[in-house]
Amino acid sequence: MEETTELSETVAETTAPAQPPIGDKTALVTIIGRPSAGKSTFLNTAAGEPVSIVSAMPQTTRNAIRGIVNTSFGQLVFVDTPGYHDSEKKMNLRMRNIVAEQLDSSDLVLYIIDTTRSCAEEERLIADLLESHQDKLVIALNKIDAPRPLTEHVRNFIKKHLPNVPENRILEMSAKNDEGINEVLKALYEMAKVAPHLYTEEVYTDQEVDFRIAEVIREQAINRLDEEVPHAVYVQIADLEMRSPTKMWCRAFICVEKDSQKGIVIGKGAQMIKTIRLESIKQLKKIFDYKIDLDLQVKVDKNWRQRDVTLNKLLK
């Protein structure tokens, strides 16, 4: 990640209010794209930290996740949004509403397109959503490292559906390989306005501790589960307690919709839940400067994706 390092600075997690230097540029940037377009990978690469969880499983991101990039050019506050796709399921409709709300409140928009897939109906839905936002739009053509990226096809799609976006704001990148990231950041900085920073320079995310722990556990779970089970999982943090300056105790539940799914998450001889717990602890060590003692269990919350009370707590 040598190229991005020139733009980015190493930062640590905090939620302290900002006292910015006068004259720097600042922008709130919403990231939008289809599921698995590479939005979270871009955000993690740009921020230089594991801000948003990543999985090959579509629809991994469920919330508006903030990641902050501080450089000599100023501050970009990225908001990673759920993958936008066509579905009438209650949970997916909620996630689409999250995307629309973030677009309206943002200063700039970064539209990430997966060049390994043709621009079909879901891409047209996004283009329609962005039609009135073209004046603040940068488009990144991702996964150009693929053997046969559909670059020309994607550019033709953009010309047809988003004709007011100039060529210098349509860029190619590989978020996975950290190629073209700096060019995307520079394009956004050029459009950003001089304004007070939203966070101090030490910040790379504003996520609360319990949310970060829950997301790490969910990431480790969904990357090891198959078929419909990952989509039926959420993580509930039941208790958090600092037991010493260097140790936190956490009780968490992996929640599923059915009794049969509970058995899958626990695994034969409880091997699956043990693996998820140990791998979660490893990842949490990379994020926090204190040890987290994790008590991880599994429980059934029947049909939670259809209940407004649960969705209101999870989707923000």
Side-chain angles (χ1 to χ4, degrees), residues 224-238:
R224 289 169 173 79
L225 300 171
D226 298 322
E227 299 178 0
E228 178 61 18
V229 179
H231 295 293
V233 164
Y234 77 88
V235 176
Q236 178 188 67
I237 304 300

Side-chain angles (χ1 to χ4, degrees), residues 128 165 204:
D128 290 344
V165 180
Y204 69 84

Side-chain angles (χ1 to χ4, degrees), residues 9-278:
E9 299 174 4
T10 303
V11 290
E13 182 179 19
T14 177
T15 56
Q19 295 295 328
I22 298 173
D24 272 7
K25 288 188 169 185
T26 302
L28 182 64
V29 185
T30 293
I31 308 174
I32 188 171
R34 288 166 68 186
S36 300
K39 301 181 298 298
S40 298
T41 301
F42 167 84
L43 180 56
N44 291 342
T45 302
E49 299 287 348
V51 175
S52 192
I53 67 175
V54 176
S55 172
M57 180 70 61
Q59 296 255 264
T60 300
T61 302
R62 292 175 176 171
N63 302 79
I65 307 293
R66 288 195 176 195
I68 299 98
V69 175
N70 292 292
T71 76
S72 59
F73 293 93
Q75 184 176 91
L76 297 176
V77 180
F78 288 98
V79 183
D80 185 16
T81 60
Y84 197 88
H85 79 131
D86 190 17
S87 172
E88 294 303 314
K89 291 182 178 180
K90 179 177 286 191
M91 183 172 174
N92 291 323
L93 289 172
R94 288 289 192 94
M95 292 193 290
R96 285 176 62 171
N97 288 336
I98 290 173
V99 176
E101 290 169 2
Q102 292 301 322
L103 285 176
D104 291 337
S105 63
S106 64
D107 301 312
L108 303 173
V109 179
L110 175 60
Y111 177 21
I112 296 180
I113 303 180
D114 180 356
T115 60
T116 66
R117 295 182 286 179
S118 62
C119 297
E121 181 60 28
E122 284 187 345
E123 215 71 74
R124 286 192 287 273
L125 287 173
I126 296 175
D128 290 344
L129 191 66
L130 294 175
E131 185 177 4
S132 61
H133 299 284
Q134 293 182 69
D135 60 324
K136 61 180 184 180
L137 184 61
V138 170
I139 303 177
L141 280 55
N142 193 27
K143 303 185 184 180
I144 58 167
D145 56 303
R148 296 182 185 86
L150 305 174
T151 308
E152 184 176 354
H153 164 74
V154 173
R155 287 186 177 274
N156 289 335
F157 171 85
I158 295 169
K159 286 180 182 179
K160 180 179 179 180
H161 295 277
L162 297 167
N164 296 328
V165 180
E167 285 291 329
N168 65 345
R169 286 198 263 131
I170 304 172
L171 303 156
E172 298 179 9
M173 73 174 187
S174 169
K176 178 182 177 182
N177 294 340
D178 192 9
E179 298 173 2
I181 299 290
N182 274 356
E183 286 68 29
V184 173
L185 294 177
K186 287 176 182 176
L188 291 165
Y189 276 120
E190 286 175 2
M191 299 173 66
K193 296 180 180 180
V194 174
H197 289 184
L198 300 175
Y199 298 90
T200 58
E201 292 189 0
E202 293 77 25
V203 175
Y204 69 84
T205 184
D206 65 351
Q207 299 169 42
E208 298 292 339
V209 171
D210 57 346
F211 180 81
R212 298 212 76 191
I213 294 173
E215 285 289 270
V216 167
I217 295 169
R218 187 166 69 90
E219 179 180 37
Q220 296 307 313
I222 64 179
N223 283 331
R224 289 169 173 79
L225 300 171
D226 298 322
E227 299 178 0
E228 178 61 18
V229 179
H231 295 293
V233 164
Y234 77 88
V235 176
Q236 178 188 67
I237 304 300
D239 295 289
L240 282 176
E241 180 184 336
M242 289 299 299
R243 293 190 167 175
S244 78
T246 59
K247 182 182 288 187
M248 172 183 280
W249 175 78
C250 172
R251 176 186 290 125
F253 292 92
I254 297 178
C255 302
V256 293
E257 289 188 314
K258 303 175 182 178
D259 289 323
S260 58
Q261 294 167 344
K262 180 178 179 180
I264 293 171
V265 176
I266 293 173
K268 186 176 181 180
Q271 191 58 49
M272 178 63 77
I273 189 66
K274 288 178 182 176
T275 300
I276 294 170
R277 175 181 174 272
L278 291 174

